Amino acid sequence: MMIHKRKTLPLPLLLLFGLLIQLTACAPGDVRQALDNQKPTVTLSDKKLTALDFESADLLFGFKVSNPNPVALSLAGMDYELKLAGHSFVSGNQTRKMRLAASGDSRIELPVSLAFADIYKGLKDMRGKSEVPYELTTALHINVPLLGKMRFPVTTKGVLPLPSLPKVSLKGITLDKLSLTTATLSIQLQVENPNSFNLGLDRLRYDLMVNGQRWASADRRSLGRVKKRQSNTLSLPITLHLVELGSGVYNLLNSSQPLEFSLSGNLNASSANQLIGKFDMPFSSNGRVSLSR
């Protein structure tokens, strides 16, 4: 005598059949309400700046999907559009697949990387600005029982910092003392900070060439700080040994003609922005400067 085992339906299907039975017993208005109650909700759970330097920024947006259904749902994909200063900057689609927990919450992340060069190229009026407002609209595509694939949009706004490298330049040279063998001068180096955060000047190494001759090569440390959107002028003393440099330098210091200079070096600085932290920045410039007495 053969015994046939009764086949049982998987639990998710049983739960769906139970839902269908409940719906058939409801009035049309109640059916609509019951279906609405089965829709998941999507909210922005968090957003943060994960990396920042003077070339790019990385952002991470987290979304929470709350699923009221007793069966797991599936994420079919997502689309997004990012606006900067009100202008559409980047958009796209992702065919990401993911299981969304039954009767619970799931987290979905959207990383966004932005190159500042692309921002300045696409939005000309952003150059020189320290920040730009953004608006991100992200829509999750979720397969919902009985309702099919549905789109759930979420919009968030914020401000993206646009850090800029500081600028080091030669503002002037002052002759303090002159003899037949030595000359004592002060060079004025200006450090400009265009950013919305303070900068600490940890170390400054520089070479100064004047009319083709090296006048200074120095390494200075702990030069204070430059406040946000301000500039500091550093007065640094140098001594020229005229016997080594030749009589032409002595004659030049006694004349009123402008000096041809070339300045190069490296700045080690500390940013008050924790994401940027410490950084090294090479610099160079050349031009003409008048000698002050």
Side-chain angles (χ1 to χ4, degrees):
M1 178 178 177
M2 296 183 63
I3 299 175
H4 297 279
K5 293 184 178 180
R6 180 179 296 175
K7 293 184 179 180
T8 59
L9 292 174
L11 180 59
L13 288 179
L14 287 174
L15 293 172
L16 280 178
F17 280 134
L19 176 59
L20 285 170
I21 292 172
Q22 294 176 21
L23 291 177
T24 56
C26 298
D30 295 333
V31 171
R32 286 193 297 270
Q33 182 62 46
L35 289 174
D36 286 339
N37 291 340
Q38 298 310 116
K39 293 180 182 178
T41 58
V42 180
T43 56
L44 179 77
S45 58
D46 60 88
K47 57 182 178 181
K48 57 185 176 181
L49 194 62
T50 57
L52 179 69
D53 56 29
F54 293 101
E55 296 181 352
S56 62
D58 294 336
L59 300 98
L60 184 65
F61 299 89
F63 301 92
K64 182 178 74 173
V65 180
S66 299
N67 176 19
N69 294 279
V71 294
L73 305 180
S74 63
L75 175 71
M78 59 198 308
D79 64 77
Y80 60 90
E81 181 187 22
L82 177 68
K83 294 181 179 179
L84 298 179
H87 303 279
S88 182
F89 185 73
V90 64
S91 61
N93 293 274
Q94 292 187 5
T95 56
R96 184 187 307 179
K97 307 293 184 181
M98 180 177 171
R99 180 180 180 275
L100 305 174
S103 302
D105 299 332
S106 299
R107 175 180 170 83
I108 298 172
E109 294 183 342
L110 175 65
V112 178
S113 296
L114 295 172
F116 296 141
D118 293 337
I119 294 177
Y120 299 139
K121 182 179 179 180
L123 303 173
K124 304 295 185 182
D125 57 345
M126 285 295 104
R127 188 169 294 278
K129 300 290 182 65
S130 61
E131 57 187 27
V132 57
Y134 70 82
E135 177 180 296
L136 175 71
T137 299
T138 307
L140 306 186
H141 303 266
I142 301 175
N143 291 316
V144 183
L146 307 179
L147 300 176
K149 184 187 294 185
M150 301 189 69
R151 185 175 182 270
F152 297 86
V154 179
T155 298
T156 181
K157 299 180 181 181
V159 176
L160 176 69
L162 298 174
S164 300
L165 284 168
K167 182 180 178 181
V168 180
S169 58
L170 179 67
K171 302 306 293 183
I173 302 178
T174 301
L175 178 62
D176 299 320
K177 186 178 180 181
L178 177 64
S179 70
L180 292 176
T181 57
T182 60
T184 303
L185 304 96
S186 299
I187 61 173
Q188 288 78 48
L189 297 184
Q190 186 179 71
V191 182
E192 298 178 49
N193 177 18
N195 298 288
S196 58
F197 47 80
N198 298 336
L199 287 178
L201 306 181
D202 302 331
R203 186 178 184 182
L204 179 68
R205 286 162 286 181
Y206 67 91
D207 286 297
L208 176 64
M209 303 285 292
V210 176
N211 285 31
Q213 290 183 296
R214 176 172 282 103
W215 277 24
S217 181
D219 187 339
R220 306 284 181 174
R221 298 174 184 265
S222 303
L223 296 171
R225 67 171 186 163
V226 186
K227 294 183 178 180
K228 59 183 181 181
R229 301 188 183 93
Q230 293 188 21
S231 62
N232 281 5
T233 299
L234 309 174
S235 183
L236 305 175
I238 62 173
T239 299
L240 303 181
H241 299 281
L242 302 180
V243 175
E244 299 175 3
L245 294 175
S247 59
V249 174
Y250 180 87
N251 296 331
L252 183 64
L253 294 174
N254 273 310
S255 71
S256 58
Q257 64 182 1
L259 308 175
E260 301 280 347
F261 77 88
S262 174
L263 176 70
S264 62
N266 192 80
L267 173 67
N268 302 126
S270 301
S271 164
N273 186 304
Q274 294 182 350
L275 288 174
I276 295 179
K278 295 179 178 292
F279 64 93
D280 295 342
M281 186 198 78
F283 62 87
S284 63
S285 63
N286 56 73
R288 286 186 168 193
V289 63
S290 297
L291 184 68
S292 301
R293 291 176 172 80

